[in-house]
Every structure is written in structure tokens, then in C-alpha cells.
Amino acid sequence: MKEFIAKRVARELQDGDVVNLGIGLPTLVANYIDDDKDIIFQSENGFIGIGPTPAKGDEDPYVVNAGGNPVTISKDGAFFDSATSFAIIRGGHVDATVLGALQVDKNGNLANWMIPGKLVPGMGGAMDLVVGARKVIVAMEHTNKGKHKILEECTLPLTAAGQVNLIITEMGVIEVTKEGLLLKEINKDYTIEQVQEATGTTLIIDENLKNM
């Protein structure tokens, strides 16, 4: 399921884009970039030029992403300090950020950093990324053990308000619009009714709905 979502996210990225990949599922996106696209992946812990996940046994303990997971770096990549990394993010030089979410709502509000009463590592760079990037893509499983993650209104503490542009799950591709959430693509293994049932707000169905 995660690979399916990551492959679809990869299709959203354009040649020449500078892209930040969040912890977890989004890191898989780097494995599915078409050969004819030159995507520059940035990591907020201080480098640019992330490559695919290394083969088992080839990991370099000094080359890890913001989540501490081993990654590779391209031949033209570069390392720098956190101040430079966040200057890139806050300066509007990131074309897209891909990150997971605990909740997203119809207004593009995002909650992805804290569940009250549970120990969490903190917000990390998410707050800066979703405001600084030109496009915000949420890549996640559609529900959490059957519970809605896409809602009428977020109930968890917000990371940012009104910043999400696109939601990609195993069920479909959903665009955040002024009118609400627009289902643009659907996984052929699901019906519209099943996607709607798994969603905690009313979806608008695109007249030209396509298969993922």
C-alpha cells in the first residue's frame, strides 16, 4: 500500500523541482522517480541531493534523513548546517513538500505532530515546510484502523491552517479546493461509495474522475 501511494506521489513532481520528503511513507517517493525527471530532494537536517534508499548492507551511518533513516546522496549533492537548510525552506525555495498526516480537513488544515496525552518527538520542520513550500502534498493511508483521517474539521492540534493542496491515499487523489475536497482520481479497487464512507466529510466528485 505504501509503495502504491509513493509511486502516485512521484508522478506529481516536475522536472527540476526541489522537494522535501517527510518522515515515513514520503521517503519512499525517491525510489520511484522517472529517469527522465531530475528531482532535487532536500532534507531539513542539512543536505540536498537525496538519492534512493540504499541496498541492505550499503547504508552509511552518517548519511541519514530527518527521521534518522539511511539514505543515499547524489554525486552533485551538498551538506550544510540547519540554519542554511531552514533558510532554503523559509525563503520559498522548496517547490513541494510531501508529508504524512494524522488528520486533514476540507479546508486544507493539517494536524500531523501531536496526539494529546501521548509522547511525541515534536513538530520538527513540518510547520516551516508546509508554509514555506509552494505545494503541499499529504501522502498517507486513508484511514487509521478504520477511523477517519480526512475530516470536516481537524480535532487535533494544527500544524498549519489552509496549507494542504493535495491528498494522496491508497483510495484516491483528492484536491483541496475552495468548495471542499475534490476526488480527482480513484483506485479502481474501490467504489466511490467506499471512498466516501472512509472519508469524514462530503467529497465532491470530479466530472472527469480518472483511475489512479
Side-chain angles (χ1 to χ4, degrees), residues 107-119:
N107 296 312
N109 297 327
L110 171 69
N112 81 333
W113 75 283
M114 186 177 80
I115 299 174
K118 292 195 176 184
L119 183 66

PDB file of all heavy atoms in Angstrom, residues 107-119:
ATOM      1  N   ASN A 107     -10.766  22.145   4.585  1.00  0.00           N
ATOM      2  CA  ASN A 107     -10.197  23.470   4.357  1.00  0.00           C
ATOM      3  C   ASN A 107      -8.684  23.445   4.161  1.00  0.00           C
ATOM      4  O   ASN A 107      -8.050  24.488   4.102  1.00  0.00           O
ATOM      5  CB  ASN A 107     -10.545  24.387   5.530  1.00  0.00           C
ATOM      6  CG  ASN A 107     -12.039  24.625   5.649  1.00  0.00           C
ATOM      7  OD1 ASN A 107     -12.711  24.940   4.668  1.00  0.00           O
ATOM      8  ND2 ASN A 107     -12.584  24.460   6.838  1.00  0.00           N
ATOM      9  N   GLY A 108      -8.117  22.254   4.078  1.00  0.00           N
ATOM     10  CA  GLY A 108      -6.678  22.143   3.888  1.00  0.00           C
ATOM     11  C   GLY A 108      -5.888  22.341   5.156  1.00  0.00           C
ATOM     12  O   GLY A 108      -4.673  22.562   5.122  1.00  0.00           O
ATOM     13  N   ASN A 109      -6.569  22.236   6.309  1.00  0.00           N
ATOM     14  CA  ASN A 109      -5.870  22.300   7.591  1.00  0.00           C
ATOM     15  C   ASN A 109      -5.166  20.974   7.851  1.00  0.00           C
ATOM     16  O   ASN A 109      -5.690  19.912   7.502  1.00  0.00           O
ATOM     17  CB  ASN A 109      -6.840  22.605   8.728  1.00  0.00           C
ATOM     18  CG  ASN A 109      -7.499  23.961   8.580  1.00  0.00           C
ATOM     19  OD1 ASN A 109      -6.895  24.911   8.073  1.00  0.00           O
ATOM     20  ND2 ASN A 109      -8.748  24.072   9.008  1.00  0.00           N
ATOM     21  N   LEU A 110      -4.010  21.043   8.483  1.00  0.00           N
ATOM     22  CA  LEU A 110      -3.187  19.857   8.698  1.00  0.00           C
ATOM     23  C   LEU A 110      -2.851  19.681  10.170  1.00  0.00           C
ATOM     24  O   LEU A 110      -2.456  20.621  10.850  1.00  0.00           O
ATOM     25  CB  LEU A 110      -1.880  19.995   7.902  1.00  0.00           C
ATOM     26  CG  LEU A 110      -0.794  18.951   8.173  1.00  0.00           C
ATOM     27  CD1 LEU A 110      -1.214  17.586   7.654  1.00  0.00           C
ATOM     28  CD2 LEU A 110       0.520  19.386   7.542  1.00  0.00           C
ATOM     29  N   ALA A 111      -3.041  18.458  10.677  1.00  0.00           N
ATOM     30  CA  ALA A 111      -2.601  18.077  12.024  1.00  0.00           C
ATOM     31  C   ALA A 111      -1.722  16.843  11.867  1.00  0.00           C
ATOM     32  O   ALA A 111      -2.207  15.791  11.449  1.00  0.00           O
ATOM     33  CB  ALA A 111      -3.799  17.783  12.921  1.00  0.00           C
ATOM     34  N   ASN A 112      -0.441  16.980  12.161  1.00  0.00           N
ATOM     35  CA  ASN A 112       0.440  15.824  11.939  1.00  0.00           C
ATOM     36  C   ASN A 112       1.556  15.704  12.972  1.00  0.00           C
ATOM     37  O   ASN A 112       2.539  15.016  12.739  1.00  0.00           O
ATOM     38  CB  ASN A 112       1.040  15.871  10.524  1.00  0.00           C
ATOM     39  CG  ASN A 112       2.237  16.796  10.417  1.00  0.00           C
ATOM     40  OD1 ASN A 112       2.368  17.764  11.163  1.00  0.00           O
ATOM     41  ND2 ASN A 112       3.124  16.504   9.477  1.00  0.00           N
ATOM     42  N   TRP A 113       1.386  16.353  14.134  1.00  0.00           N
ATOM     43  CA  TRP A 113       2.529  16.303  15.033  1.00  0.00           C
ATOM     44  C   TRP A 113       2.225  15.882  16.459  1.00  0.00           C
ATOM     45  O   TRP A 113       3.125  15.486  17.189  1.00  0.00           O
ATOM     46  CB  TRP A 113       3.236  17.654  15.058  1.00  0.00           C
ATOM     47  CG  TRP A 113       2.516  18.724  15.828  1.00  0.00           C
ATOM     48  CD1 TRP A 113       1.419  19.432  15.409  1.00  0.00           C
ATOM     49  CD2 TRP A 113       2.820  19.206  17.128  1.00  0.00           C
ATOM     50  NE1 TRP A 113       1.027  20.326  16.363  1.00  0.00           N
ATOM     51  CE2 TRP A 113       1.876  20.218  17.438  1.00  0.00           C
ATOM     52  CE3 TRP A 113       3.795  18.890  18.075  1.00  0.00           C
ATOM     53  CZ2 TRP A 113       1.880  20.899  18.644  1.00  0.00           C
ATOM     54  CZ3 TRP A 113       3.797  19.588  19.275  1.00  0.00           C
ATOM     55  CH2 TRP A 113       2.858  20.578  19.552  1.00  0.00           C
ATOM     56  N   MET A 114       0.965  15.920  16.900  1.00  0.00           N
ATOM     57  CA  MET A 114       0.728  15.593  18.306  1.00  0.00           C
ATOM     58  C   MET A 114      -0.633  14.956  18.527  1.00  0.00           C
ATOM     59  O   MET A 114      -1.638  15.408  17.974  1.00  0.00           O
ATOM     60  CB  MET A 114       0.815  16.865  19.170  1.00  0.00           C
ATOM     61  CG  MET A 114       0.723  16.576  20.669  1.00  0.00           C
ATOM     62  SD  MET A 114       0.923  18.050  21.689  1.00  0.00           S
ATOM     63  CE  MET A 114      -0.718  18.755  21.582  1.00  0.00           C
ATOM     64  N   ILE A 115      -0.620  13.899  19.337  1.00  0.00           N
ATOM     65  CA  ILE A 115      -1.854  13.324  19.862  1.00  0.00           C
ATOM     66  C   ILE A 115      -1.857  13.618  21.355  1.00  0.00           C
ATOM     67  O   ILE A 115      -0.957  13.175  22.079  1.00  0.00           O
ATOM     68  CB  ILE A 115      -1.923  11.806  19.623  1.00  0.00           C
ATOM     69  CG1 ILE A 115      -1.877  11.505  18.121  1.00  0.00           C
ATOM     70  CG2 ILE A 115      -3.181  11.209  20.245  1.00  0.00           C
ATOM     71  CD1 ILE A 115      -1.788  10.033  17.800  1.00  0.00           C
ATOM     72  N   PRO A 116      -2.813  14.407  21.836  1.00  0.00           N
ATOM     73  CA  PRO A 116      -2.816  14.774  23.271  1.00  0.00           C
ATOM     74  C   PRO A 116      -2.710  13.556  24.181  1.00  0.00           C
ATOM     75  O   PRO A 116      -3.368  12.544  23.960  1.00  0.00           O
ATOM     76  CB  PRO A 116      -4.167  15.475  23.438  1.00  0.00           C
ATOM     77  CG  PRO A 116      -4.445  16.056  22.088  1.00  0.00           C
ATOM     78  CD  PRO A 116      -3.916  15.027  21.108  1.00  0.00           C
ATOM     79  N   GLY A 117      -1.820  13.649  25.177  1.00  0.00           N
ATOM     80  CA  GLY A 117      -1.660  12.564  26.132  1.00  0.00           C
ATOM     81  C   GLY A 117      -0.640  11.521  25.742  1.00  0.00           C
ATOM     82  O   GLY A 117      -0.330  10.624  26.515  1.00  0.00           O
ATOM     83  N   LYS A 118      -0.098  11.623  24.512  1.00  0.00           N
ATOM     84  CA  LYS A 118       0.895  10.652  24.065  1.00  0.00           C
ATOM     85  C   LYS A 118       2.239  11.340  23.847  1.00  0.00           C
ATOM     86  O   LYS A 118       2.309  12.499  23.432  1.00  0.00           O
ATOM     87  CB  LYS A 118       0.441   9.977  22.764  1.00  0.00           C
ATOM     88  CG  LYS A 118      -0.766   9.075  22.953  1.00  0.00           C
ATOM     89  CD  LYS A 118      -0.967   8.163  21.759  1.00  0.00           C
ATOM     90  CE  LYS A 118      -2.122   7.197  21.993  1.00  0.00           C
ATOM     91  NZ  LYS A 118      -2.279   6.240  20.876  1.00  0.00           N
ATOM     92  N   LEU A 119       3.312  10.604  24.108  1.00  0.00           N
ATOM     93  CA  LEU A 119       4.651  11.132  23.950  1.00  0.00           C
ATOM     94  C   LEU A 119       4.983  11.239  22.463  1.00  0.00           C
ATOM     95  O   LEU A 119       4.853  10.277  21.718  1.00  0.00           O
ATOM     96  CB  LEU A 119       5.663  10.220  24.640  1.00  0.00           C
ATOM     97  CG  LEU A 119       7.122  10.681  24.619  1.00  0.00           C
ATOM     98  CD1 LEU A 119       7.282  11.965  25.429  1.00  0.00           C
ATOM     99  CD2 LEU A 119       8.020   9.582  25.187  1.00  0.00           C
TER     100      LEU A 119
END
